[in-house]
Amino acid sequence: SQQGEEDPQALSIQEGENATMNCSYKTSINNLQWYRQNSGRGLVHLILIRSNEREKHSGRLRVTLDTSKKSSSLLITASRAADTASYFCATDYGGSQGNLIFGKGTKLSVKP
Amino acid sequence: DTGVSQNPRHKITKRGQNVTFRCDPISEHNRLYWYRQTLGQGPEFLTYFQNEAQLEKSRLLSDRFSAERPKGSFSTLEIQRTEQGDSAMYLCASSPGQFSPQHFGDGTRLSIL
């Protein structure tokens, strides 16, 4: 079963615009992570936010976490064509051993 | 920095055959995970090892699936008597700790004829 659900399922923007993706989850978590996947490749870790954190930045990425609403958002600022990929949120759950539960992902297309 | 390596990258086989995939994690990582990903979906957890011990298995891992990690280094995932529904990308990941970011390989894409 899937824990996270990303929204929207697909997003198409122009280069230079910002992209916002949302993720909702169902149970309590230790942390939430965002990953990127280019077509036919493995996943690349982007950012990890712990359950006691509310916001985290990494370069052009900004992640927020609202544990009361069980939701997170990923903002990519000043998008580039190279940002075209699928983006997944992943959560562990309170009693897990660290294995991750992924959502279905948001497919981002950035047009030059 | 050598990342996670998976072999083969692609495997095409006939229904009913056995297949084996290999994963070489980042050398200092003691945790190794296997996931399965079908088209348009996120990865689904299959099993994980801490060193050589297999500590958790998903209900997705039927008795046709077996995974090993001898000596706590590389891991193999074997599927016996493959079925059409086994067609998927099989991803391996490793991490240095329980809630650390996971580093993924590029996966093995399995196609069942």
Side-chain angles (χ1 to χ4, degrees):
Chain A
S1 64
Q2 293 190 301
Q3 162 87 304
E5 291 290 336
E6 288 90 344
D7 170 55
Q9 290 187 352
L11 181 60
S12 181
I13 59 174
Q14 294 292 132
E15 211 166 26
E17 294 180 339
N18 295 343
T20 300
M21 288 159 265
N22 302 297
C23 166
S24 60
Y25 58 91
K26 296 173 186 173
T27 66
S28 65
I29 60 172
N30 295 297
N31 60 55
L32 183 145
Q33 303 181 44
W34 284 90
Y35 287 81
R36 184 188 75 213
Q37 185 177 35
N38 289 85
S39 183
R41 303 297 300 273
L43 283 78
V44 174
H45 178 262
L46 296 176
I47 200 164
L48 181 153
I49 186 166
R50 302 195 188 283
S51 59
N52 61 355
E53 296 175 314
R54 292 296 167 258
E55 188 169 315
K56 207 158 182 183
H57 297 254
S58 177
R60 293 184 296 112
L61 306 181
R62 172 177 163 249
V63 167
T64 62
L65 178 64
D66 186 336
T67 52
S68 67
K69 294 181 179 177
K70 293 188 171 55
S71 67
S72 173
S73 68
L74 170 66
L75 169 67
I76 304 174
T77 59
S79 62
R80 306 165 182 168
D83 295 328
T84 294
S86 291
Y87 292 81
F88 296 91
C89 72
T91 56
D92 54 35
Y93 52 92
S96 81
Q97 296 286 328
N99 54 287
L100 297 174
I101 303 175
F102 288 84
K104 292 184 179 182
T106 291
K107 196 165 187 176
L108 174 66
S109 174
V110 182
K111 300 186 189 315
Chain B
D1 174 30
T2 54
V4 177
S5 176
Q6 291 190 246
N7 288 288
R9 288 294 314 276
H10 304 276
K11 180 72 178 177
I12 301 172
T13 192
K14 292 182 179 178
R15 185 163 53 93
Q17 297 294 305
N18 299 345
V19 293
T20 300
F21 313 138
R22 176 178 170 125
C23 171
D24 288 89
I26 294 172
S27 57
E28 58 266 29
H29 288 181
N30 61 11
R31 287 175 173 254
L32 186 149
Y33 305 83
W34 284 99
Y35 294 87
R36 181 173 70 187
Q37 185 179 26
T38 53
L39 204 61
Q41 302 293 316
E44 294 177 293
F45 168 74
L46 292 178
T47 188
Y48 105 96
F49 292 84
Q50 181 167 329
N51 300 313
E52 66 276 10
Q54 188 174 17
L55 295 185
E56 190 171 349
K57 290 195 281 189
S58 162
R59 286 174 295 175
L60 291 175
L61 214 66
S62 77
D63 56 7
R64 295 184 299 106
F65 288 68
S66 63
E68 292 182 341
R69 193 183 181 195
K71 302 177 184 176
S73 55
F74 72 90
S75 176
T76 57
L77 177 67
E78 181 183 15
I79 309 174
Q80 296 183 325
R81 305 180 303 281
T82 51
E83 301 174 354
Q84 289 288 94
D86 297 333
S87 294
M89 174 82 90
Y90 290 83
L91 293 162
C92 174
S94 69
S95 74
Q98 183 174 4
F99 299 118
S100 302
Q102 295 182 17
H103 298 253
F104 282 79
D106 281 336
T108 294
R109 182 167 293 284
L110 175 65
S111 297
I112 307 296
L113 301 177

